[in-house]
Amino acid sequence: MIKITILTLFPEMFVPLNESILKRAQEAGLVEINLVNFRDYAVSKHKNVDDIPYGGGAGMLLKPEPIFAAIRDLPQVSHHRKLILMSPQGHVFHQKKAEEWSTHQELVFMCGHYEGFDERIRELADEEVSLGDYVLTGGELAAMVMIDAVVRLIPGVLGEEVSAEEDSHSIGLLEYPQYTRPADFEGRKVPEVLLSGHHALIKRWRRKESLRRTFLRRPDLIKDLVFGLEDYSLLEELTLEHEEFARWRTKWQHLSPPPKRQRRSSNRNK
């Protein structure tokens, strides 16, 4: 089980974590999610958690006292507790990070609001992570996205482990197209190979379509891809179908099978 604690000024925003798959994961004891309103740890009469920045400037900054106090008040544990600060200055979140976090026993997400944090709050964090290269009004939405990405990777949450393993980005490729009934919807037909029952051909088709979709939609992912021998023929086929594939040929050219050696015929005079 993974324990997840969220430090936030707006715990009511996290209602979606009690729905669908995340709800079932909590009911099954696979994940425990706790919300801590760090306004409860404010020391001022009016429970202020922010103040104007020294040196001037626009906006308000979160004060260090409430967040430090909230972290110190967490139950003592023997395992490592990973503290994650939601910050537009952090490393951009990705699937590999979700996979790494899913192996931890406890994650603590610190969600800011207003203009930013007092710099000393950063000392608490093991990592600063951003959802992307844009700025949100607070860290709550980013934390929810990251938590969803992590929880679905916990063994038993999705039911079938292959469900997560074949997701887009899990193996560096975008997922292949998928279809369900009816086989013909308003003239839009399911590819015949998927109806054939021939598992080897279906596997080959899916791999080819994953390669096609990744090259055409997310060429930025290609630099990190490592191809196998079985990919060579698929990539050569795709090069014939899409000219833009040719500029990446050096990525798989070394996988080209050696030319077959022709056996010399022996014509001996008798």
Side-chain angles (χ1 to χ4, degrees):
M1 184 186 75
I2 294 181
K3 182 177 181 180
I4 296 175
T5 301
I6 306 161
L7 272 63
T8 174
L9 293 172
F10 303 98
E12 63 276 7
M13 288 184 66
F14 289 88
V15 172
L17 298 186
N18 294 317
E19 300 293 338
S20 187
I21 290 173
L22 275 77
K23 178 182 179 181
R24 294 199 296 271
Q26 292 176 77
E27 291 174 343
L30 299 173
V31 62
E32 177 186 331
I33 299 177
N34 299 302
L35 297 166
V36 175
N37 188 339
F38 58 85
R39 190 182 297 278
D40 296 337
Y41 294 87
V43 295
S44 67
K45 177 181 177 181
H46 299 289
K47 294 293 184 180
N48 294 330
V49 295
D50 62 325
D51 209 334
I52 58 174
Y54 280 119
M60 305 285 279
L61 297 179
L62 286 174
K63 295 161 63 65
E65 304 100 309
I67 295 180
F68 269 79
I71 292 294
R72 289 168 178 164
D73 197 40
L74 293 176
Q76 295 294 314
V77 292
S78 57
H79 57 260
H80 175 64
R81 172 185 281 146
K82 178 173 279 293
L83 274 66
I84 304 157
L85 182 65
M86 302 291 97
S87 168
Q89 298 182 24
H91 296 292
V92 176
F93 183 70
H94 49 73
Q95 184 69 18
K96 294 299 182 185
K97 182 60 65 178
E99 293 171 3
E100 176 197 329
W101 288 354
S102 71
T103 65
H104 285 269
Q105 290 179 273
E106 184 173 1
L107 303 173
V108 177
F109 291 86
M110 296 183 284
C111 303
H113 223 76
Y114 309 114
E115 188 64 23
F117 290 94
D118 180 290
E119 186 68 18
R120 290 162 290 190
I121 293 172
R122 299 181 190 277
E123 299 172 13
L124 294 168
D126 295 310
E127 290 189 62
E128 289 186 41
V129 186
S130 169
L131 194 58
D133 293 331
Y134 46 87
V135 180
L136 301 172
T137 55
E140 285 78 12
L141 293 173
M144 278 189 276
V145 170
M146 296 178 194
I147 290 167
D148 184 275
V150 169
V151 171
R152 66 192 306 279
L153 295 174
I154 299 172
V157 169
L158 294 183
E160 297 181 33
E161 302 307 319
V162 71
S163 297
E165 291 171 3
E166 294 186 354
D167 283 341
S168 293
H169 303 289
S170 290
I171 57 172
L173 294 171
L174 300 185
E175 192 175 22
Y176 49 79
Q178 298 201 72
Y179 301 84
T180 187
R181 298 174 182 173
D184 187 335
F185 174 67
E186 297 181 353
R188 301 172 180 85
K189 296 183 179 180
V190 174
E192 288 293 330
V193 65
L194 299 179
L195 307 176
S196 68
H198 195 304
H199 297 297
L201 289 180
I202 291 172
K203 181 179 179 181
R204 186 180 191 277
W205 180 88
R206 286 176 169 172
R207 180 69 176 180
K208 181 178 178 180
E209 294 308 310
S210 282
L211 291 166
R212 186 200 309 275
R213 183 160 284 188
T214 305
F215 271 74
L216 296 180
R217 298 187 179 188
R218 290 294 305 275
D220 56 298
L221 298 176
I222 297 169
K223 59 182 175 60
D224 296 321
L225 292 179
V226 177
F227 301 110
L229 289 172
E230 68 281 1
D231 291 324
Y232 179 80
S233 61
L234 300 177
L235 291 162
E236 288 296 302
E237 290 175 17
L238 288 167
T239 300
L240 297 176
E241 297 170 21
H242 304 280
E243 291 182 0
E244 55 265 50
F245 273 64
R247 70 188 180 96
W248 297 99
R249 186 177 255 135
T250 54
K251 290 279 291 180
W252 67 81
Q253 206 161 26
H254 65 285
L255 300 173
S256 174
K260 294 182 179 180
R261 298 178 60 183
Q262 294 184 348
R263 296 178 62 185
R264 293 183 179 179
S265 58
S266 55
N267 297 322
R268 296 181 179 178
N269 295 325
K270 293 183 179 180

